[in-house]
Amino acid sequence: MLLVPLSERQLAAFADKHAVQIPYDTSPRHLAGPGDARHVTHGLAAAGWNAVSDPLSAEIILASPDLRHRLQFDPQSRTSAWWRLRAEPVGTEPGWYAEFGELVPAEVLAAFTDALTAPPPQQPDPWQRVTSAGWHHEPEGARSPDSMCHIELRPLSEFHDRSSWHIETREPGHGEFSGPRIWHAYLDEHTPAHLVSAFLTALTDRSPLQRGMFERTGHYSAVQKPSPLRPQQVVDAHATRIKHLRAQARSARRQQTKPATIPAHASTAQPARSPLT
């Protein structure tokens, strides 16, 4: 597969859009709205993923360098899942599937895909990050302080031998009834733990996300106020992240192509003398 790197023209287009937007701090994150999908697609392209979809189509499909992972972004999807990520089974590692709705914040999804391209050295307990962010831990999962976002680790069933993750943000309900769904995320039972942790950590992070003055949010109750960040700082933060992901990808490729080191004594070792000589 021919690798087509992220171009300076593409980065400039991102900068042109955000350099003229007055950023507003928007919180909580689960109501911040989708943001710019290029937080996800630029990050994967910087890590060596390649577009394999029709360049004239609204649908974007990115494939990892080893072709094991495939991300599909379909803004014309007939279902509520605009983002779909699949991993093929390799050896003893099972395949897995994750999907995300239209209004999942791109920065939160980007934390998931960044962790896919460069796994963290440790795999923290996702529940610890969720509760430390002030979310309410419940027997079946956790809910946000405003009770609009629920995280659920669904138990085993006759069809699944492991638990799967279901995250939903909904309109406020009445009594025992939940309101209409705003967005959802589903991570199947084989989704690697460090990816789950990255998504939940980014979702429950108390720091706001930046949105333009008239940019779409996930719900009218999202709180917005002028950000202390200048537009150029938003652009610079994106460029710095892309540079970091590129460096990680180059380092990983060098490690894969580096020849195995031969022990120094291996070339000088003499065969054992036969007891018959």
Side-chain angles (χ1 to χ4, degrees), residues 125-147:
D125 176 12
W127 290 124
Q128 181 179 358
R129 298 296 181 91
V130 168
T131 54
S132 64
W135 288 45
H136 307 292
H137 200 14
E138 300 174 336
E140 69 279 6
R143 59 183 172 86
S144 58
D146 62 6
S147 296

Side-chain angles (χ1 to χ4, degrees), residues 72-238:
Q72 176 187 19
F73 172 65
D74 184 5
Q76 298 176 336
S77 173
R78 296 180 180 180
T79 72
S80 57
W82 279 33
W83 299 91
R84 296 183 177 89
L85 207 159
R86 291 179 173 85
E88 297 297 326
V90 173
T92 59
E93 295 185 37
W96 53 269
Y97 170 79
E99 67 176 41
F100 307 88
E102 172 191 0
L103 296 182
V104 172
E107 297 91 338
V108 175
L109 179 52
F112 182 94
T113 52
D114 284 0
L116 177 60
T117 62
Q122 297 180 344
Q123 297 182 8
D125 176 12
W127 290 124
Q128 181 179 358
R129 298 296 181 91
V130 168
T131 54
S132 64
W135 288 45
H136 307 292
H137 200 14
E138 300 174 336
E140 69 279 6
R143 59 183 172 86
S144 58
D146 62 6
S147 296
M148 291 180 67
C149 188
H150 293 256
I151 301 170
E152 184 180 1
L153 181 59
R154 294 191 179 175
L156 312 180
S157 70
E158 60 179 312
F159 304 106
H160 301 282
D161 58 358
R162 299 175 65 179
S163 302
S164 56
W165 294 85
H166 298 252
I167 302 98
E168 286 190 341
T169 296
R170 289 183 172 273
E171 295 265 5
H174 301 281
E176 299 179 358
F177 300 97
S178 300
R181 188 169 71 181
I182 298 172
W183 64 259
H184 81 289
Y186 166 74
L187 314 175
D188 83 8
E189 63 270 23
H190 294 296
T191 303
H194 71 277
L195 302 182
V196 175
S197 181
F199 183 82
L200 297 185
T201 298
L203 174 64
T204 59
D205 190 332
R206 294 179 180 177
S207 59
L209 297 175
Q210 279 69 48
R211 295 289 181 264
M213 182 182 294
F214 301 108
E215 200 169 1
R216 182 183 185 186
T217 62
H219 193 260
Y220 65 84
S221 64
V223 177
Q224 291 191 293
K225 59 183 180 179
S227 174
L229 297 178
R230 300 187 306 275
Q232 187 59 44
Q233 288 178 289
V234 176
V235 173
D236 291 344
H238 182 71

